[in-house]
Amino acid sequence: MTSEAEPLTLVLVGPMAAGKTSVGRRVARRLRVAFIDTDKRVVAEHGPIPAIFAEHGEEYFRDLERAAVAAALTEGGVISLGGGAVTDAGTRELLRAHPVVFLTVSADAVADRIRGSSRPLLAGEDPLARWQAIFEERRGWYDEVSSTTFDTSRRPMQRIADEIVAWRREQR
Ligand SMILES: Nc1ncnc2c1ncn2[C@@H]1O[C@H](COP(=O)(O)OP(=O)(O)OP(=O)(O)O)[C@@H](O)[C@H]1O
Ligand SMILES: O=C(O)C1=C[C@@H](O)[C@@H](O)[C@H](O)C1
Ligand SMILES: [Mg+2]
C-alpha cells in the first residue's frame, strides 16, 4: 500500500512541451500523491521565468531550479521538471536515487503545442527548429537520468498517465 509517509515518488523529464506538467498532474491524481511542478515552484517564489532569464541569466535560473528539485524530492510525490533541468549536473545527481520517466514527443506533434509559447529558449525565429536542436543537445542527458520512456506524440494524456502509473506500481 502507498502510505502518506512514503508516497510513490516519480519524476518526469523531457523536452519542452512533451507533456511533463499535463501528464504529471494526471499521474499524481491516479496515484493519490502530491503533484509538484518545479517551474511553477520557481515562478511562485521568484516570478516569471522569462524575467528571471532576462535579468539574471540561465545559470541563475538553473540554481533556483536545482533548489526546487531538491525540495520537491524531499517532499515526494509526482514531480515534473522543466525541460532543461537535466542540463545541470547537480540536478542530474539529485535524480540518481529516484524513478525517472522520460517523456518524448515528435517534432511534428510538438509544433502546435509550442505555437505562441513564452518559453525564453524558443524566442526568436523558427521556434520549432530551436526546439529540435535543443532536444538533440539534451537527449543524452534525458537517457542518462531516466529508467523508462513514454511517447506523448499522438495519444490522449490520460492514457499515457495510466501507463506511467502501471509502470511505477511495478517498480515497488
Ligand atoms: N498527449 C498529448 N496530446 C495532446 N496535447 C498534449 C499532450 N501532452 C501535452 N499536451 C499539450 O501540450 C502543451 C504543453 O504541455 P505541458 O505544459 O504539459 O508540457 P511540459 O513538458 O510541461 O513543458 P515545459 O518543459 O515547458 O514545462 C499543453 O498545451 C498540453 O495540453
Ligand atoms: O527547456 C528549458 O530549458 C526550459 C523549459 C521550461 O520548462 C522552463 O523551465 C524554462 O522555460 C526553460
Ligand atoms: Mg512543464
Side-chain angles (χ1 to χ4, degrees), residues 16 39 49 53 58 61-62 65 82-84 119-121 138:
M16 289 177 264
D39 277 338
I49 292 172
F53 269 72
E58 178 170 352
F61 174 76
R62 297 299 168 208
E65 184 172 53
R119 295 169 177 92
L121 294 177
R138 296 174 176 172

Side-chain angles (χ1 to χ4, degrees), residues 20-22 37 39-40 80-82 119:
K20 300 177 294 296
T21 301
S22 335
D37 186 274
D39 277 338
K40 291 197 168 61
S80 293
L81 305 194
R119 295 169 177 92

Side-chain angles (χ1 to χ4, degrees), residues 15 103 163:
L103 293 186
E163 289 174 12

Side-chain angles (χ1 to χ4, degrees), residues 9-163:
T9 291
L10 78 91
V11 180
L12 295 169
V13 301
M16 289 177 264
K20 300 177 294 296
T21 301
S22 335
V23 173
R25 186 174 290 117
R26 287 167 172 78
V27 173
R29 214 173 285 145
R30 279 280 202 267
L31 288 174
R32 295 172 193 268
V33 299
F35 173 66
I36 301 171
D37 186 274
T38 58
D39 277 338
K40 291 197 168 61
R41 282 274 175 99
V42 171
V43 171
E45 289 170 24
H46 305 279
I49 292 172
I52 299 173
F53 269 72
E55 286 163 28
H56 303 284
E58 178 170 352
E59 209 178 310
Y60 180 77
F61 174 76
R62 297 299 168 208
D63 291 344
L64 301 179
E65 184 172 53
R66 189 186 327 107
V69 172
L73 287 170
T74 305
E75 293 170 43
V78 175
I79 302 161
S80 293
L81 305 194
V86 296
T87 62
D88 184 86
T91 296
R92 294 198 300 278
E93 185 61 32
L94 289 171
L95 297 179
R96 279 162 64 96
H98 300 276
V100 179
V101 172
F102 173 18
L103 293 186
T104 57
V105 60
S106 66
D108 249 18
V110 92
D112 283 342
R113 301 189 197 172
I114 60 174
R115 202 158 287 132
S117 163
S118 64
R119 295 169 177 92
L121 294 177
L122 299 183
E125 267 177 44
D126 205 346
L128 184 57
R130 288 192 56 70
W131 180 90
Q132 284 180 284
I134 292 169
F135 187 11
E136 284 318 315
E137 260 173 45
R138 296 174 176 172
R139 193 182 285 274
W141 284 318
Y142 294 130
D143 281 332
E144 179 191 315
V145 300
S146 63
S147 30
T148 188
T149 302
F150 292 85
D151 187 66
T152 74
S153 302
R154 300 282 171 209
R155 289 171 329 124
M157 292 184 256
Q158 190 58 58
R159 215 166 97 205
I160 300 158
D162 289 343
E163 289 174 12

